[in-house]
Amino acid sequence: MAAAPRRPGPIDDISKRIIEQLQADGRRSYGEIGKAVGLSEAAVRQRVQKLTETGVMQIVAVTDPMQLGFNRQAMIGIRVSGDTRSVADALEKLQAVDYLVLTAGSFDIMIEVVCESDDDLIELLNSQIRSLPGVVSTETFVYLQLRKQLYDWGTR
């Protein structure tokens, strides 16, 4: 079973402002961020390192899957018998899975997948997801069009 992510302590207002700066522009320099939040470049670098090491944030390039040849995205609801965490552990290892949450409601787990084609999605569902011990049923929600995807919700 995967270890739980390390929980950071409370995040102060300056760290929140650093996160907001990076959400607005992930390529913003530490010097620019420092000027905006009142810290030195080195202090910003240290805080960003701590925020990434503790799993509070990631700095990544967000792509449009369609432009990279991944022509099928879907959300899959999964009903599980037994411990949902063991099924989640197996699903985490699947390369096509880019988002996974344990839920309460009609599904025990929700995953988002990115596949090259409908054939790849069928193969993933039948050979890798439905065949997992504990998976009772799945329901697939195929994406027809991505209308909004933002990562700038701030830190409140």
Side-chain angles (χ1 to χ4, degrees):
M1 193 176 309
R6 189 173 144 206
R7 298 268 186 228
I11 298 171
D12 67 13
D13 288 339
I14 292 176
S15 290
K16 288 179 181 180
R17 290 174 52 210
I18 290 170
I19 291 168
E20 289 167 352
Q21 290 284 311
L22 288 167
Q23 284 179 325
D25 181 358
R27 297 179 300 166
R28 190 165 286 158
S29 74
Y30 293 147
E32 287 179 85
I33 295 169
K35 288 176 188 171
V37 303
L39 291 177
S40 70
E41 181 178 335
V44 171
R45 181 179 292 107
Q46 183 179 30
R47 282 180 181 249
V48 168
Q49 182 176 349
K50 183 177 179 184
L51 290 166
T52 56
E53 285 175 355
T54 57
V56 171
M57 69 175 192
Q58 298 176 33
I59 301 172
V60 298
V62 178
T63 61
D64 178 350
M66 295 286 280
Q67 293 190 42
L68 297 175
F70 296 99
N71 297 307
R72 178 55 65 217
Q73 287 182 270
M75 183 69 66
I76 302 170
I78 303 169
R79 290 181 184 91
V80 173
S81 172
D83 190 342
T84 57
R85 296 169 299 181
S86 62
V87 175
D89 289 344
L91 292 167
E92 283 178 356
K93 295 174 183 155
L94 300 179
Q95 187 174 8
V97 175
D98 67 0
Y99 183 78
L100 184 153
V101 291
L102 301 181
T103 61
S106 61
F107 298 107
D108 300 301
I109 299 172
M110 296 287 293
I111 60 173
E112 181 182 65
V113 298
V114 179
C115 300
E116 290 183 33
S117 66
D118 287 337
D119 289 339
D120 288 338
L121 177 59
I122 292 167
E123 180 67 21
L124 176 71
L125 282 165
N126 288 321
S127 298
Q128 297 180 56
I129 296 173
R130 292 180 180 141
S131 63
L132 289 173
V135 171
V136 174
S137 66
T138 64
E139 186 171 343
T140 304
F141 303 89
V142 172
Y143 296 3
L144 299 177
Q145 184 180 64
L146 179 61
R147 296 291 301 260
K148 182 176 181 179
Q149 183 175 20
L150 298 176
Y151 299 96
D152 61 353
W153 52 81
T155 57
R156 294 186 183 91

